[in-house]
Amino acid sequence: MPAHGWTGDDPPLTIQDVYDYVDRELKMVKTKLATKIEKFFYGGIDPIQFLIHLEEIFKSKQRVKRIKSMIPRIAGMQELDLFIRTCMEVRRPGGVRDAGFTKDIQTFATAFTRSVKSLGELLDEVRDLYSVVQTFCRNYQSLEGEFDLKWARTTNIELKSTLDAIDQLLADAHPGVNIKLFSTDKFSLEVAETLDSKRFPVLRLFPDLFQKFYFVFHLLGRWRANDQIYLEDIQFRLIKTKRLQRLKQEEYNTIELEHGNILSTIVEKRLRVRTREIRERMKQLDQEIHKLTSLHRGISQEKVHSEQEVLERKRVLFANKNVTDLSKDLDNILGVRKDVEILHKKLKSLNKSLKLNEHDLIAREKEKAELERDYEDMRQSISRSNQLAFERSELSKEISIINEKIHELETIFYRKTDRQKLEQAFDDLRGSNEPR
């Protein structure tokens, strides 16, 4: 590749080659318009002063009734030529001043003809440059519509409209221009406000054409600059989206690891079965604890009753010691003693039963407490497992969407920067420029 970069004769290697080419060509056509065409047309004179001077010539010559009646309006080269020839035929005394006016108007006619030709050639160059920009600086919207591409459509419409207007003005330069094609702002408007451009449209023609060309240069430069910004925006979004993809993937991997650890420690299916078993055992323990508590209450009541009966028997026994006829109540005393001994044995048995009951009750309550802890741990494990499974599913969806977005952005980016795509665009450009 030559040192000066892409020349447009071969496919560009990078999109930056296209940008550099557009910059160079724009600078070249601007220089050509300003230094060769515009400067030649005005003759190095201030444009407004130049046009006022011409208007003064036209008005001066039209003071002759014959000239004014024959050529009341000068809208193109055809009428300008007729105006000059008529002025030459209908001479009026004007001395040196009149001769100078005649020379100036003939000079204007020469500049008019030459400028039309030069601007026509320049228009061809600008249209070629427009084709390059239109071909390589295409914009593609994302599925989410996140790029503001209104400027591209607006710029393209304005460019086409302005180029068509330039083409039409140049085509009408000979027969006579349509003043509706003139711009309504900036320098063209200033000329319209300063001069009688309705009467002499030729005076406004080239200022308006020059303005339109500069506007086209501005639009092409803005399109090229915005396209680079658009490409940089795609690159930035790619970097940002890939960073998000990496973070989401790391988050997914962390959750996957935790979920895997839970599932590897306690298989979910067995965990649920074990949980149901624990729940059933806890219900059974509640029933056993209830029975033991009721039994404990019954034994305690029976113990209290037995203790009261022992006391009553002992009271009877001690009361019988005062009996004078021991032989008469001996049997009764022996019977009471025997009853007391039986009751003491019964109390001893009840105390033992109470201890066993209390031991069983404590064991059941301890087992229940352990099962409750296990059940809560398992319930939390299942809950956490379900939560992690849900989070994994949601993250997987997010990552899938992010991957699609990355693919979409990469497609747009490579569509504009891939060398094969640039070659294809070049072939399309070359094909559209071939004569039909």
Side-chain angles (χ1 to χ4, degrees):
M1 180 64 63
H4 56 270
W6 185 54
T7 61
D9 298 325
D10 299 304
L13 297 179
T14 67
I15 190 66
Q16 188 61 47
D17 289 342
V18 177
Y19 293 153
D20 294 341
Y21 172 83
V22 173
D23 290 341
R24 287 196 310 272
E25 291 297 307
L26 272 177
K27 184 178 180 181
M28 184 189 71
V29 291
K30 283 180 185 177
T31 303
K32 183 182 292 187
L33 177 64
T35 62
K36 294 184 178 181
I37 303 174
E38 190 176 10
K39 187 176 181 180
F40 170 79
F41 179 78
Y42 291 123
I45 303 173
D46 175 74
I48 293 294
Q49 294 302 317
F50 172 79
L51 296 171
I52 290 175
H53 176 66
L54 286 174
E55 184 185 40
E56 184 181 347
I57 295 175
F58 290 150
K59 288 182 177 180
S60 173
K61 298 291 184 181
Q62 278 195 343
R63 288 193 182 100
V64 179
K65 291 183 179 180
R66 181 182 169 189
I67 296 176
K68 187 173 183 180
S69 62
M70 288 181 64
I71 312 134
R73 181 172 178 268
I74 305 175
M77 187 61 203
Q78 188 174 334
E79 292 174 342
L80 178 62
D81 184 59
L82 179 59
F83 180 77
I84 294 172
R85 285 189 285 106
T86 305
C87 290
M88 295 295 291
E89 292 172 359
V90 183
R91 295 184 179 274
R92 58 189 295 258
V96 176
R97 175 180 171 80
D98 189 67
F101 277 7
T102 301
K103 182 181 179 182
D104 288 346
I105 202 169
Q106 287 176 334
T107 301
F108 172 69
T110 302
F112 187 103
T113 304
R114 178 177 169 179
S115 296
V116 168
K117 183 176 182 297
S118 299
L119 289 178
E121 294 170 351
L122 185 67
L123 179 61
D124 290 338
E125 294 180 40
V126 173
R127 283 194 181 278
D128 289 341
L129 184 58
Y130 170 55
S131 297
V132 171
V133 174
Q134 194 177 39
T135 300
F136 289 99
C137 297
R138 294 176 182 174
N139 307 116
Y140 307 92
Q141 185 57 274
S142 64
L143 294 176
E144 292 80 9
E146 55 192 330
F147 300 115
D148 181 11
L149 300 180
K150 291 180 181 178
W151 64 267
R153 291 187 291 272
T154 302
T155 301
N156 195 26
I157 291 171
E158 288 180 326
L159 270 168
K160 189 176 185 308
S161 174
T162 307
L163 287 170
D164 288 345
I166 291 174
D167 194 21
Q168 190 62 51
L169 284 172
L170 288 174
D172 294 343
H174 183 74
V177 298
N178 180 2
I179 61 174
K180 291 182 179 180
L181 293 174
F182 289 147
S183 299
T184 57
D185 60 356
K186 298 182 180 178
F187 187 63
S188 182
L189 182 62
E190 183 182 349
V191 171
E193 292 174 345
T194 306
L195 309 172
D196 187 358
S197 57
K198 289 184 179 180
R199 185 178 175 188
F200 307 117
V202 291
L203 296 178
R204 189 178 175 186
L205 174 60
F206 286 96
D208 189 83
L209 282 169
F210 296 153
Q211 177 177 310
K212 282 181 166 61
F213 268 104
Y214 283 121
F215 183 55
V216 168
F217 299 158
H218 165 71
L219 292 176
L220 288 173
R222 186 174 70 181
W223 191 345
R224 170 258 181 269
N226 282 347
D227 189 73
Q228 186 169 5
I229 293 172
Y230 163 76
L231 191 59
E232 290 170 354
D233 189 19
I234 293 173
Q235 288 180 294
F236 172 76
R237 288 175 188 271
L238 260 175
I239 294 171
K240 184 178 178 181
T241 308
K242 285 185 176 180
R243 184 184 298 119
L244 178 62
Q245 179 198 44
R246 186 176 65 254
L247 293 174
K248 289 294 182 180
Q249 190 63 51
E250 289 174 356
E251 184 179 354
Y252 179 86
N253 293 341
T254 301
I255 291 175
E256 185 179 41
L257 179 62
E258 183 181 354
H259 193 209
N261 289 337
I262 290 175
L263 294 179
S264 63
T265 304
I266 307 172
V267 178
E268 197 166 347
K269 184 176 179 180
R270 292 176 59 189
L271 184 64
R272 288 195 176 94
V273 172
R274 177 61 178 152
T275 303
R276 286 196 295 269
E277 292 175 352
I278 290 175
R279 194 184 299 117
E280 293 299 323
R281 178 57 180 159
M282 286 170 60
K283 288 182 181 178
Q284 183 181 351
L285 284 172
D286 283 335
Q287 294 173 357
E288 291 181 5
I289 289 171
H290 178 72
K291 289 179 180 179
L292 287 171
T293 302
S294 298
L295 180 62
H296 184 274
R297 190 182 303 111
I299 295 174
S300 297
Q301 290 175 354
E302 187 177 357
K303 177 183 175 183
V304 171
H305 179 73
S306 297
E307 287 175 344
Q308 290 176 351
E309 190 175 353
V310 168
L311 290 174
E312 181 63 25
R313 291 290 184 182
K314 284 183 178 181
R315 187 182 63 75
V316 172
L317 179 62
F318 286 119
N320 287 335
K321 287 182 179 181
N322 298 322
V323 178
T324 54
D325 190 359
L326 292 176
S327 60
K328 183 180 179 181
D329 294 319
L330 184 59
D331 292 336
N332 290 334
I333 293 170
L334 291 174
V336 169
R337 283 183 176 177
K338 189 173 182 179
D339 290 341
V340 169
E341 288 176 0
I342 292 171
L343 286 172
H344 273 299
K345 289 180 180 180
K346 185 178 180 180
L347 282 173
K348 187 175 180 181
S349 176
L350 287 171
N351 284 330
K352 186 176 180 180
S353 296
L354 279 173
K355 286 182 179 179
L356 291 172
N357 176 271
E358 289 172 354
H359 180 269
D360 289 343
L361 188 59
I362 291 171
R364 299 296 188 279
E365 288 177 344
K366 182 179 179 181
E367 183 182 358
K368 181 184 176 183
E370 291 175 351
L371 287 174
E372 284 176 344
R373 284 194 299 271
D374 291 343
Y375 176 77
E376 183 61 24
D377 290 343
M378 292 178 182
R379 190 189 66 79
Q380 289 181 2
S381 296
I382 293 174
S383 176
R384 181 58 179 163
S385 175
N386 292 337
Q387 180 185 354
L388 291 172
F390 174 77
E391 291 177 3
R392 280 181 64 186
S393 176
E394 292 300 305
L395 276 173
S396 180
K397 293 176 184 177
E398 286 186 50
I399 292 171
S400 177
I401 293 172
I402 291 171
N403 289 339
E404 289 178 4
K405 187 173 182 181
I406 289 174
H407 175 70
E408 179 189 352
L409 290 171
E410 285 179 340
T411 299
I412 295 175
F413 181 77
Y414 290 119
R415 190 181 293 177
K416 290 185 64 65
T417 60
D418 183 65
R419 188 168 178 178
Q420 289 184 346
K421 294 294 183 182
L422 292 173
E423 290 178 359
Q424 182 180 343
F426 177 78
D427 291 339
D428 294 341
L429 175 65
R430 188 168 53 183
S432 64
N433 288 338
E434 288 180 354
R436 297 179 180 178

